[in-house]
Amino acid sequence: MQDRLKRMQAEGIAEIAQAPDTRALDDIRVALLGRKGALTEILRGLGTAPPDQRPAIGKAANAVKKALEEAIDARKTVLETQVARREARETAVDMSLPGRRPMRGHMHLVPQVAEEILGIFLELGFQAATGPDVETEYYNFDSLNTPPDHPARDLHDTFFVKPGVVLRSHTSPVQMRVMEKHAPPVAVVVPGRVYRNDYDASHSPMFYQIEGLLVDKGVSFADLKGTLLLFIHRFFGPDTEMRFRPHFFPFTEPSAEVDISCSVCKGEGCRLCKNTGWLEILGCGMVHPVVFGYAGYDCETYTGYAFGLGIDRIAMLRHAIDNIHHLYENDLRFLEQF
Amino acid sequence: MRVSLNWLKEFLDIETGVDGLAEKMTMLGLEIESVERPGAEINKVVVGQIVSIEPHPKADKLVVCKTDVGQPQPVQIVCGAKNVRVGDRIPTALDGATLPGAVGIGCRKMRGVESCGMMCSAHELGLGEDHSGLMILEPNAPIGQDIVSHLGLDDAILEVEVTPNRGDWACMIGVARELAALFETPIRVPEVHIAEGAQRAARLSSVTIEAPELCPRYIGRLLSGVQVGPSPSWLCQRLLAAGQRPINNIVDVTNFVLLETGHPLHAFDYDKLSENRIVVRCAKQNETLETLDGQVRKLDSSMLVIADAERPVALAGIMGGHDSEVGESTSRVFLESAYFEPVSIRRTARALGMQTEASVRFQRGADPEMALFAINRAAGLVQELAGAEVAAGLLDEYPNPPAPVEVELRYGRSDDVLGTCVAPREQRGILERLGFVTVRSSDAGCVVRVPSWRHDVSREADLIEEVARLHGYDKIGVTLPTVRQIDEILAPEEAKLRALRRFLVGQGLTEVFNWTFDSAEAVRKCGLPEAYLDMVELQNPISEQNAAMRSTLIPGLLATASRNLRHGNLDLAAFEIGPVYGPAKNDQELPDQYTRLAIALSGRKGTHHWGRAPEPYDFYDLKGYAESALGFFGVYVQFDAADFGPFQSGHCGRASWAGQPLGYLGMVGKEVLRAFETEQAIFLLEFDLDPLLAHRPPPPEFQTVPAYPASLRDMAVVVDASVPAGELEATARQVGGALLKRVEIFDVYSGKQIPEGKKSVAMNLFFQADDRTLKDEETLASWDTILKHLQERYGAQLR
């Protein structure tokens, strides 16, 4: 009997190892371990064996049963893995086909660049302020030390709504609106649309500016240089050089225009920078005492700086856009590039 | 302004090369926009003289010239110009010469005749537009001399941008003064030589200023025996370098002195002045004057004129009069050098639409002291060049010379403002080099007198700028300020709008950014109600289509959509966020400004993929975007069917929040599409954002996460097609009881198996309790109640 069991185990295991698929394996299991299976028969016939041999035979039969079960399970795992592999092979993806992408929108380049610049100043502790597009001449000019008949008014081809009311020609009127309402310190950045009656290949009658204003005790021109250098390094890259050049704005004194080293030729001289190696990006200066006077600030106690930059121009420089009108034609083939 | 380097070198020694000089000037605030080197492209061109002209054997229009170019043999040149004449001296390009535009000249046969070189027109040398014929040089031009040095083309022309505050820079002396201060070198002002005659000017004429507030100073000089004729070449060269055309010696001298001193002069024909005298007065109402440009100007009493005894003879500081113009027959000249008040000149020039060299300079503030130098300089030159006799004495009316302006500079303050440290000696030295005169001085500061040409300096900040400029902006260090902030958010909507933009972009929409101009016509094209025609109009728009500020985003976004569709961008999902404007209300000074959101969908949705057919957008995509955008603000918005101008009836709705309408959404009507030249369906919405931006919902409160499973039941009912599905859903919610947590419509169907005029609406009903798993009976009771109500209210039949 013991021999028979041993043989059964050896033959069973061999058969199991040969089973070509799970179905054949199942047939083997039924034939060996099923209700009418060979081993079941033996166990069932245990009652006819001599009583003294019964425990030994029972034990041996159970060991065989366990061994066969384990062999079946192991073979099953092997076969299932084979099947899974084959199926995976048959349904393999084509890595060269494009994925199914969720729809992606694009932020317009002007707000995109404005937001990035704004973000740099917000991080420095400035906060956003806004003002109306249709503005009084008082805020747009007079209170910014540009009285009627000031020659600087000629530089802004101003749109008029009616006498005394204009489309703001810069974001600077918001300086005065903020200072009028709040005692120093003031640290604001002002994004917004501005308007000049100038429409040709390189001018759009509406464009976008960001203004900055910092007023506190002890704010200096060196602080202005430091703030803008930090901005330039963050926005244009740490290798970008900065140049401060004297200029004139009625509402700042001293005033400066700021250039950065040409992004194309790195200062060597090219068409973009007209061979100067420099690109003008913004205007700035120390807040004029007359402006403080209009704001009701004591210009002996407080000093401040202001700067204004044209987002359109900066976006065009950074992305090598050759025509400002691309920005406002809103052709999807343009918008989707950014 | 064009600054000739050769001319500039007459005023001071410049050791820097032209590029270095341009850089230094730029860093002083005299921004150099370009540097032109007129002679740089001209090579091997000399003064030649035509010695003979023979006809060309094979061509009627050509001649064969022999030209003496200072070499042993004359060169033979075939020429087609009409003005060839033996004896004329002409710029002649030799074999191997180059001309502007990289034109090379060599020896070649022209219709069979050897031609070795070219005789040039002014145009070919890059000197102006005249290519009508050969450029005739002066008869005494040295034959064989290089044309570049002969014409003074070995020069560099610096194009300087003069800022409006520095009118004093707009002349050679002004630039030289600034550079002299920078280089710490003296300036050479030309000496004036006048041999005054016996006749006294005061006997011959007089000057009366009737409006001294508008004309603080008026100087006249009398010149007689003037011979009007061409100017010598040195003078022509100066004018040409500055971009001016020589006219005659008298006019040229006044222009030259203007360029040199910045002071505008005017020459009258003395004999054409009634009573030979000058009255400076305001015009009489409706008086007229024919100006030099031949226009008859109608004047009013705010305008300052130069008159004779009877009538205006010049528009003060702007333009002379035609009748008193200096011409070839002029022999006696009244020369004017005056100082006019800037604002009056500006107003008159604006009112008459005239901007002249003179008016620009007076507007920026001329130098009343320079008036004297300028007139003497001019008189001396006219004497020298036109053989004039200068009457003795000046007619100088200067009733109230302005008190000198004195300004204090505190060295410490200057250092504080600049954030640097400039030695007091250097600070004062800078001012003195710039022509400021120290009145008082101490360790802490100085008081200086402002030079007469510096109208831009009136306070300490102005002096600090001078210190910074001459010290060098680049020498000031960089520091970072402490940024202190106030405890108030000035523009809370800004951050929300930035987040909304990102949110919508994340949802697949692309942002457009239109001009905020619009027109009533565009509003009408959209079929928008009358109220939208109440627009903020511009007095000076760039065009009819941009004549007003937009009252809505709809026309702009529709135009953008249509333009894209016509350009072949057929699938569009776009939004715009921006201001619209409404006229000022009541006593407000400024118009109202509102923030709006508009969304437009057209074409097919989603990204296109090989495995899936693209589906076109429909109304529910638009409504989905609307719900999503409004969900961003955390508000519950009510949508109702509505009719609104731009939209197709039956395909339009109104969104309201808390009883307040936010805007409309729908499918754009056929006629509106046609008006925008497109046929493809566009779905569009426009909402007011202001109430939503102002809304601050409380932070969401935590709800217990259910511990027991939900049971789901379906209900499909058939109702009249006109019953809004949303009402069935709302009814279910209303009567379903506390256990009904959620209702979702999952199918709306009409067609086969559903009777005509009916539709089937299928809903998922989700039931859930916090404390137990629900039994079938519990949910069935609610289900029955819902069905009963749907039957009663809507005649619904269970499907």
Side-chain angles (χ1 to χ4, degrees):
Chain A
M1 184 55 87
Q2 294 280 7
D3 290 349
R4 211 176 127 201
L5 280 170
K6 267 187 192 153
R7 208 167 47 247
M8 185 183 290
Q9 180 173 347
E11 282 170 9
I13 283 173
E15 217 177 327
I16 286 163
Q18 295 297 315
D21 54 32
T22 47
R23 196 169 173 171
L25 188 66
D26 206 43
D27 291 345
I28 294 167
R29 190 184 58 77
V30 170
L32 292 173
L33 306 174
R35 245 192 303 164
K36 288 178 184 165
L39 191 66
T40 318
E41 300 264 296
I42 289 174
L43 285 170
R44 204 175 281 149
L46 206 58
T48 61
D52 59 327
Q53 290 179 21
R54 278 181 207 165
I57 295 172
K59 202 176 160 194
N62 274 323
V64 171
K65 188 184 178 194
K66 199 173 165 229
L68 289 172
E69 274 171 353
E70 276 171 9
I72 287 168
D73 283 349
R75 180 63 185 163
K76 198 175 172 193
T77 306
V78 169
L79 288 172
E80 277 173 355
T81 307
Q82 278 173 3
V83 168
R85 281 202 187 129
R86 190 171 58 244
E87 276 175 3
R89 224 175 10 253
E90 282 162 1
T91 59
V93 295
D94 180 348
M95 207 43 77
S96 67
L97 282 173
R100 222 172 266 137
R101 272 171 252 179
M103 213 161 106
R104 183 200 157 178
H106 298 263
M107 198 185 287
H108 190 279
L109 185 59
V110 168
Q112 205 178 111
V113 170
E115 191 173 298
E116 191 179 337
I117 293 175
L118 203 65
I120 294 171
F121 289 104
L122 296 183
E123 223 174 75
L124 290 178
F126 288 75
Q127 69 160 313
T130 53
D133 291 14
V134 186
E135 186 54 282
T136 60
E137 271 191 80
Y138 173 80
Y139 285 115
N140 197 69
F141 288 123
D142 301 39
S143 68
L144 297 173
N145 195 26
T146 318
D149 299 306
H150 192 289
R153 287 205 180 190
D154 296 338
L155 299 179
H156 298 213
D157 297 291
T158 312
F159 283 108
F160 280 87
V161 168
K162 63 178 188 189
V165 177
V166 300
L167 301 189
R168 65 176 175 195
S169 56
H170 46 185
T171 40
S172 309
V174 184
Q175 284 185 19
M176 188 52 59
R177 286 182 173 272
V178 171
M179 286 194 284
E180 262 183 2
K181 281 207 188 119
H182 302 275
V186 164
V188 292
V189 265
V190 182
R193 290 166 176 78
V194 298
Y195 304 85
R196 293 191 196 170
N197 196 338
D198 202 353
Y199 181 33
D200 59 33
S202 50
H203 294 93
S204 168
M206 184 197 90
F207 54 105
Y208 206 86
Q209 280 190 343
I210 286 187
E211 181 94 3
L213 173 71
L214 177 73
V215 182
D216 206 340
K217 290 175 188 158
V219 175
S220 72
F221 195 75
D223 290 336
L224 172 60
K225 283 184 77 175
T227 307
L228 292 177
L229 185 65
L230 182 144
F231 157 69
I232 285 166
H233 282 169
R234 297 229 176 140
F235 188 80
F236 292 101
D239 298 331
T240 313
E241 283 178 58
M242 174 183 81
R243 177 171 89 165
F244 260 59
R245 223 166 4 85
H247 199 72
F248 166 71
F249 302 105
F251 37 94
T252 49
E253 188 85 22
S255 304
E257 273 187 344
V258 178
D259 301 334
I260 55 166
S261 48
C262 178
S263 49
V264 172
C265 63
K266 311 283 173 219
E268 293 291 305
C270 67
R271 234 177 56 185
L272 180 66
C273 61
K274 291 190 200 153
N275 280 314
T276 61
W278 296 100
L279 297 168
E280 176 200 327
I281 55 155
L282 63 87
C284 62
M286 301 301 292
V287 179
H288 199 288
V290 168
V291 174
F292 277 157
Y294 276 99
Y297 282 16
D298 173 10
C299 66
E300 278 294 305
T301 313
Y302 293 98
T303 50
Y305 66 61
F307 57 86
L309 33 95
I311 298 304
D312 309 61
R313 183 175 163 74
I314 286 177
M316 288 172 70
L317 281 179
R318 189 162 74 161
H319 300 281
I321 297 164
D322 56 1
N323 186 332
I324 190 169
H325 298 295
H326 283 308
L327 295 176
Y328 300 106
E329 273 162 14
N330 292 300
D331 190 303
L332 286 175
R333 291 164 295 181
F334 173 80
L335 300 178
E336 287 171 359
Q337 291 178 30
F338 305 101
Chain B
M1 186 184 61
R2 290 165 62 88
V3 174
S4 151
L5 184 59
N6 286 350
W7 192 359
L8 193 60
K9 283 178 173 168
E10 288 188 6
F11 297 92
L12 80 165
D13 297 326
I14 295 171
E15 278 153 24
T16 329
V18 62
D19 289 332
L21 180 69
E23 160 94 19
K24 286 205 152 61
M25 288 173 74
T26 295
M27 293 306 284
L28 265 183
L30 278 154
E31 191 185 346
I32 304 297
E33 293 186 321
S34 64
V35 179
E36 202 181 288
R37 290 174 179 82
E41 291 184 273
I42 300 173
N43 210 352
K44 285 190 87 175
V45 181
V46 299
V47 177
Q49 184 178 34
I50 302 173
V51 289
S52 70
I53 303 174
E54 303 290 336
H56 191 290
K58 286 184 188 158
D60 293 347
K61 290 190 175 164
L62 297 177
V63 291
V64 181
C65 303
K66 291 260 175 6
T67 303
D68 178 1
V69 291
Q71 293 168 2
Q73 292 297 317
V75 291
Q76 176 169 299
I77 295 172
V78 175
C79 178
K82 290 206 180 84
N83 63 339
V84 282
R85 221 172 48 179
V86 172
D88 274 353
R89 299 192 180 185
I90 313 287
T92 306
L94 305 177
D95 180 21
T98 48
L99 297 177
V103 177
I105 304 295
C107 287
R108 62 190 180 107
K109 288 218 157 118
M110 288 180 79
R111 310 279 309 261
V113 177
E114 178 81 3
S115 178
C116 228
M118 185 173 93
M119 292 187 283
C120 306
S121 67
H123 180 67
E124 282 156 343
L125 290 176
L127 305 172
E129 295 306 303
D130 187 1
H131 49 91
S132 60
L134 302 178
M135 179 178 182
I136 313 288
L137 302 169
E138 284 173 76
N140 59 356
I143 293 167
Q145 190 190 12
D146 190 273
I147 202 74
V148 171
S149 49
H150 178 70
L151 292 176
L153 301 176
D154 48 350
D155 196 1
I157 309 294
L158 302 148
E159 182 75 50
V160 183
E161 189 205 331
V162 176
T163 50
N165 60 324
R166 293 302 302 266
D168 64 299
W169 272 344
C171 65
M172 299 305 296
I173 289 180
V175 172
R177 225 159 19 201
E178 201 71 23
L179 289 174
L182 178 71
F183 295 137
E184 303 189 46
T185 182
I187 176 173
R188 294 182 290 268
V189 175
E191 280 176 40
V192 175
H193 307 281
I194 308 177
E196 290 189 343
Q199 270 190 311
R200 296 186 58 76
R203 288 268 176 88
L204 295 169
S205 181
S206 69
V207 170
T208 313
I209 301 178
E210 288 182 2
E213 67 289 353
L214 300 185
C215 175
R217 188 175 200 180
Y218 194 102
I219 312 174
R221 257 200 187 276
L222 290 172
L223 307 146
S224 56
V226 170
Q227 276 157 30
V228 177
S231 298
S233 67
W234 69 263
L235 179 52
C236 294
Q237 275 177 28
R238 293 288 181 242
L239 295 177
L240 285 168
Q244 294 195 358
R245 206 163 39 88
I247 298 167
N248 64 45
N249 49 8
I250 308 300
V251 176
D252 292 351
V253 163
T254 58
N255 285 338
F256 174 83
V257 173
L258 171 65
L259 293 168
E260 186 178 75
T261 65
H263 203 88
L265 302 172
H266 186 66
F268 295 98
D269 187 327
Y270 171 83
D271 293 299
K272 290 178 184 162
L273 297 175
S274 167
E275 296 180 18
N276 308 116
R277 65 190 182 91
I278 290 292
V279 180
V280 185
R281 61 167 168 86
C282 289
K284 291 167 189 151
Q285 205 66 32
N286 297 327
E287 220 169 7
T288 59
L289 169 68
E290 183 180 353
T291 41
L292 279 175
D293 53 7
Q295 302 248 22
V296 177
R297 310 282 177 173
K298 206 168 145 195
L299 310 176
D300 68 46
S301 58
S302 74
M303 298 172 176
L304 187 70
V305 295
I306 311 303
D308 58 16
E310 293 170 24
R311 63 201 200 301
V313 291
L315 209 48
I318 300 174
M319 195 181 272
H322 180 263
D323 294 346
S324 57
E325 187 181 0
V326 171
E328 283 181 18
S329 63
T330 302
S331 76
R332 293 199 283 181
V333 168
F334 182 101
L335 197 58
E336 163 198 294
S337 178
Y339 175 76
F340 300 111
E341 205 277 316
V343 169
S344 140
I345 299 295
R346 182 182 147 97
R347 287 188 183 160
T348 304
R350 284 218 130 187
L352 297 174
M354 304 168 79
Q355 274 305 3
T356 61
E357 281 275 340
S359 69
V360 167
R361 284 163 204 265
F362 281 121
Q363 280 171 39
R364 292 180 170 191
D367 176 1
E369 302 308 317
M370 186 60 93
L372 183 60
F373 175 81
I375 198 166
N376 286 335
R377 172 76 168 142
L381 285 171
V382 172
Q383 186 164 54
E384 182 189 328
L385 304 179
E389 183 171 324
V390 179
L394 291 153
L395 304 166
D396 186 359
E397 288 298 312
Y398 196 12
N400 306 303
V405 178
E406 291 182 359
V407 183
E408 184 182 5
L409 174 70
R410 293 164 296 165
Y411 305 131
R413 174 72 178 176
S414 165
D415 283 347
D416 286 347
V417 169
L418 298 178
T420 188
C421 199
V422 183
R425 254 178 65 170
E426 191 192 338
Q427 297 199 29
R428 211 178 93 191
I430 283 169
L431 297 181
E432 287 175 347
R433 263 145 55 203
L434 287 167
F436 293 84
V437 176
T438 306
V439 180
R440 283 192 300 282
S441 172
S442 72
D443 290 347
C446 60
V447 174
V448 293
R449 187 155 63 236
V450 178
S452 57
W453 59 87
R454 292 300 300 270
H455 299 287
D456 61 312
V457 176
S458 60
R459 50 169 50 80
E460 190 177 36
D462 303 325
L463 296 180
I464 294 172
E465 178 170 75
E466 295 308 288
V467 169
R469 221 161 47 81
L470 273 284
H471 175 68
Y473 276 19
D474 51 346
K475 288 200 199 126
I476 295 170
V478 293
T479 50
L480 276 179
T482 304
V483 178
R484 293 200 295 159
Q485 198 47 269
I486 52 172
D487 181 18
E488 184 180 337
I489 297 174
L490 296 172
E493 75 287 355
E494 261 307 296
K496 252 188 190 176
L497 284 172
R498 286 199 299 276
L500 177 62
R501 282 202 162 88
R502 291 222 169 273
F503 176 79
L504 294 173
V505 165
Q507 308 259 305
L509 299 176
T510 290
E511 184 178 22
V512 306
F513 201 84
N514 279 308
W515 283 354
T516 45
F517 307 116
D518 210 342
S519 69
E521 198 209 331
V523 169
R524 279 199 201 94
K525 243 165 72 171
C526 296
L528 284 158
E530 285 289 309
Y532 287 81
L533 292 171
D534 205 359
M535 298 163 87
V536 178
E537 283 170 23
L538 300 178
Q539 289 182 331
N540 54 338
I542 55 161
S543 68
E544 286 279 306
Q545 293 86 47
N546 298 289
M549 300 307 284
R550 65 187 180 189
S551 56
T552 154
L553 302 179
I554 291 175
L557 192 55
L558 265 183
T560 300
S562 143
R563 200 164 48 241
N564 272 291
L565 296 181
R566 278 180 284 127
H567 288 176
N569 306 325
L570 297 177
D571 304 319
L572 174 130
F575 74 99
E576 176 163 16
I577 293 174
V580 303
Y581 312 83
K585 282 196 201 105
N586 307 324
D587 53 350
Q588 281 176 8
E589 193 170 19
L590 292 179
D592 278 319
Q593 183 170 323
Y594 312 95
T595 306
R596 294 255 175 94
L597 161 71
I599 295 178
L601 303 174
S602 187
R604 297 165 305 174
K605 62 182 158 189
T607 47
H608 301 155
H609 194 260
W610 49 271
R612 190 164 50 192
E615 272 182 73
Y617 281 113
D618 67 13
F619 176 83
Y620 297 102
D621 292 309
L622 180 73
K623 194 180 173 204
Y625 273 117
E627 288 164 339
S628 171
L630 296 165
F632 171 85
F633 291 100
V635 297
Y636 176 74
V637 172
Q638 167 88 27
F639 291 90
D640 298 297
D643 272 317
F644 188 64
F647 300 119
Q648 193 79 53
S649 182
H651 295 258
C652 170
R654 182 181 52 234
S656 350
W657 172 55
Q660 200 179 2
L662 290 176
Y664 293 87
L665 72 169
M667 180 169 80
V668 176
K670 287 269 185 296
E671 276 169 42
V672 176
L673 286 181
R674 209 171 301 132
F676 280 88
E677 298 169 54
T678 184
E679 286 178 351
Q680 183 172 309
I682 298 175
F683 300 89
L684 186 78
L685 67 78
E686 180 180 39
F687 291 161
D688 267 327
L689 289 184
D690 295 312
L692 299 169
L693 289 166
H695 176 59
R696 307 224 192 308
E701 201 177 306
F702 167 73
Q703 306 286 312
T704 310
V705 178
Y708 296 90
S711 13
L712 168 68
R713 283 186 176 277
D714 293 348
M715 177 181 291
V717 294
V718 174
V719 291
D720 283 347
S722 62
V723 174
E727 288 192 17
L728 305 181
E729 186 189 330
T731 301
R733 269 187 226 283
Q734 187 195 343
V735 302
L739 296 176
L740 180 68
K741 298 295 182 196
R742 204 146 52 90
V743 181
E744 267 173 22
I745 295 173
F746 70 90
D747 188 41
V748 177
Y749 174 77
S750 56
K752 250 191 222 165
Q753 300 173 340
I754 305 293
E756 203 53 26
K758 300 272 183 185
K759 66 181 171 191
S760 150
V761 177
M763 297 182 278
N764 280 327
L765 308 171
F766 292 87
F767 297 93
Q768 201 161 35
D770 292 339
D771 55 351
R772 63 188 189 282
T773 303
L774 291 173
K775 296 201 184 84
D776 277 356
E777 311 88 76
E778 292 177 278
T779 59
L780 196 60
S782 170
W783 193 90
D784 283 338
T785 313
I786 293 169
L787 181 61
K788 202 177 94 210
H789 278 89
L790 294 182
Q791 285 166 336
E792 281 167 11
R793 288 192 198 170
Y794 304 104
Q797 287 178 316
L798 194 62
R799 195 178 162 207

